[in-house]
Amino acid sequence: GAPALLASVQRVSVPRGTWTDSDPGRVVARRIGAPAATTVLVDVGIPQQALVDDAVSLLLSGEIDVALVVGGEAKARAARLDRARTRGDRAGIAEVFDAGGADDAGVAPDVHMRPEGELVDPVEIEAGLWAPVELYAMVENALAATEQHPPAELRRQVAALWARFNQVACSNPDAAFAEPMSAQDLCTSSPANRPLAFPYDKWHVSQWNVDQAAALLLCTADAAERAGVPRDRWVFPLVGLESSHSL
């Protein structure tokens, strides 16, 4: 309710995505009218919550008044481009680029956070466990064993939960995959729902090929009042928790 607040942003933090932009925060800062903002890029391996906690800490200390945490992917657009190139479809390639095109500032961010140590432990690599779907499946099976749920019951529970997720997607006009899927559909393996790691099939896991972005605008109460942000739009963070412990 107060777009002028964007020009007061002093810090733009971005978690690393699958893109190659060297300083995406600077592109965002320039486009929102805050070109002097400090830009932060956080590599994979550092919890994304760390960006929020960092911004809140600086706000609490009084070092800054307004911060923006923003991230996004354009994997669906990239997939369309790959298909168009494979077909030699020049019109399709032009359509994809007309949708946005590359915008890389070509400079390093003011702050570049990198994780300490390895993202995946050597023991996991040796065991062939590196894909998130495999690791989450292990947790899922361990929990089911503890709760004494046989494999068929575990599959039923997972399908029932994801069917409720699907109901939400079906009611959202911006959903990437809004086709109705029943619990029975989700519980049945097929070429369109191939097994990945028990109990998960394709439609039980996140899909990469989506265009999706989100942002959190964080500021002090004084900054919100100066910008005229309605009080019914104020939300106060009470606690921030993060862990980079990978074992």
Side-chain angles (χ1 to χ4, degrees):
L5 186 62
L6 290 174
S8 301
V9 169
Q10 297 158 289
R11 191 176 184 89
V12 180
S13 302
V14 184
R16 170 74 70 181
T18 60
W19 30 260
T20 58
D21 298 72
S22 61
D23 189 11
R26 199 170 306 278
V27 176
V28 173
R30 187 171 62 246
R31 292 193 178 191
I32 65 174
T38 297
T39 62
V40 182
L41 180 62
V42 177
D43 283 353
V44 175
I46 296 178
Q48 295 177 353
Q49 178 65 33
L51 285 73
V52 178
D53 292 347
D54 173 65
V56 171
S57 295
L58 292 172
L59 290 167
L60 286 171
S61 68
E63 293 183 50
I64 61 174
D65 293 319
V66 188
L68 183 68
V69 178
V70 57
E73 293 283 11
K75 291 286 289 183
R77 177 173 172 269
R80 292 199 307 274
L81 178 60
D82 287 342
R83 289 193 294 268
R85 282 173 171 163
T86 300
R87 297 192 305 266
D89 181 1
R90 293 187 177 182
I93 293 173
E95 179 184 354
V96 172
F97 274 101
D98 286 345
D103 192 353
D104 188 343
V107 296
D110 296 318
V111 179
H112 192 173
M113 298 182 184
R114 297 178 174 88
E116 297 181 5
E118 297 294 331
L119 177 60
V120 181
D121 191 271
V123 174
E124 294 171 319
I125 297 175
E126 185 178 351
L129 295 171
W130 63 271
V133 66
E134 298 164 347
L135 299 172
Y136 285 125
M138 291 182 65
V139 174
E140 192 86 68
N141 281 282
L143 180 62
T146 300
E147 296 178 345
Q148 299 184 339
H149 294 312
E153 173 62 15
L154 173 58
R155 283 275 292 181
R156 188 198 67 78
Q157 290 182 0
V158 168
L161 176 60
W162 263 252
R164 296 202 297 275
F165 293 156
N166 177 253
Q167 289 175 1
V168 175
C170 290
S171 66
N172 185 349
D174 296 322
F177 305 99
E179 298 80 6
M181 284 183 272
S182 67
Q184 184 60 43
D185 294 332
L186 291 163
C187 198
T188 304
S189 299
S190 68
N193 190 32
R194 63 186 183 279
L196 296 178
F198 186 88
Y200 302 136
D201 292 344
K202 172 186 174 180
W203 289 112
H204 297 131
V205 302
S206 60
Q207 306 293 315
W208 276 41
N209 291 343
V210 298
D211 291 346
Q212 192 172 27
L216 288 173
L217 185 61
L218 303 155
C219 67
T220 62
D222 287 344
E225 284 188 333
R226 288 197 304 269
V229 179
R231 290 211 170 216
D232 62 1
R233 303 285 294 173
W234 293 18
V235 177
F236 290 93
L238 299 180
V239 64
L241 297 174
E242 65 183 76
S243 172
S244 57
H245 186 61
S246 59
L247 293 179

